[in-house]
Amino acid sequence: MASPRDITLLPDAGPLITLACAEALDLLFKPGWTVALVDMVLHEVTRSRTPTSGKVASWATAAQVPVISTRTLRHFQQATIESPSARTRNLGELAIQETMNDLALRVPPTTAVFLFEDHRIARASFLLPENCRKVSTRAFLAFLAQRGWIASAADIERRAVQAGRAFSTLRFPP
């Protein structure tokens, strides 16, 4: 049986923004899993000045969150040099997919939890290797509350909404 440190949590941009709005990014560490950021996702949430971009960048630096390098970000950076109007949509998800595939190829495979908040990901045929799981922000917060690690998932959601986050109404798994 794997220990909590053998599980890697890979948050997408949406959960990072929601938890930053709620001043709750440290909740990602509550299960005791390894938290890692995929470089393209970090780029997505910090490339423009927003109310949460500085919070996420500061948190990642202060918490010394490892950043996983991907071919996706390297390709994006090269493409934007050649064409400033290069594709930018869904590259974070593509980079997470790349990372999960790489984790699945390790011996032994690393268990990964993909934390998402996007309706398209929940409904799309997002390929999950056998060692990976996808979990919505809302389900993750409910998990933390069930374990007694937070008092209320609804309180975190409310704080994010009060800070201006249009938190997903999606409930996944259904």
Side-chain angles (χ1 to χ4, degrees), residues 104-126:
L105 293 173
R106 287 186 180 171
V107 178
T110 298
T111 300
V113 175
F114 170 42
L115 188 61
F116 74 97
E117 195 171 305
D118 191 322
H119 290 75
R120 288 173 291 119
I121 292 168
R123 295 190 180 108
S125 58
F126 192 84

Side-chain angles (χ1 to χ4, degrees), residues 46-65:
T46 59
R47 70 178 164 211
S48 301
R49 188 175 176 95
T50 68
T52 58
S53 61
K55 290 178 186 181
V56 173
S58 295
W59 168 81
T61 300
Q64 298 180 332
V65 178

Side-chain angles (χ1 to χ4, degrees), residues 43 51 59 64 77 84 102 118 124 126 135 143:
H43 176 74
W59 168 81
Q64 298 180 332
Q77 290 169 329
D102 290 346
D118 191 322
F126 192 84
V135 178
F143 166 73

Side-chain angles (χ1 to χ4, degrees), residues 32-107:
W33 303 335
T34 298
V35 176
L37 297 175
V38 174
D39 58 1
M40 188 72 217
V41 172
L42 184 60
H43 176 74
E44 284 180 337
V45 298
T46 59
R47 70 178 164 211
S48 301
R49 188 175 176 95
T50 68
T52 58
S53 61
K55 290 178 186 181
V56 173
S58 295
W59 168 81
T61 300
Q64 298 180 332
V65 178
V67 177
I68 299 171
S69 297
T70 63
R71 293 177 304 279
T72 303
L73 178 64
R74 287 191 304 275
H75 176 75
F76 167 77
Q77 290 169 329
Q78 183 61 40
T80 55
I81 290 169
E82 295 167 8
S83 172
S85 62
R87 173 185 172 209
T88 59
R89 296 189 48 80
N90 305 321
L91 291 180
E93 291 85 1
L94 185 62
I96 286 175
Q97 180 77 70
E98 175 188 331
T99 301
M100 287 191 302
N101 290 339
D102 290 346
L103 293 174
L105 293 173
R106 287 186 180 171
V107 178

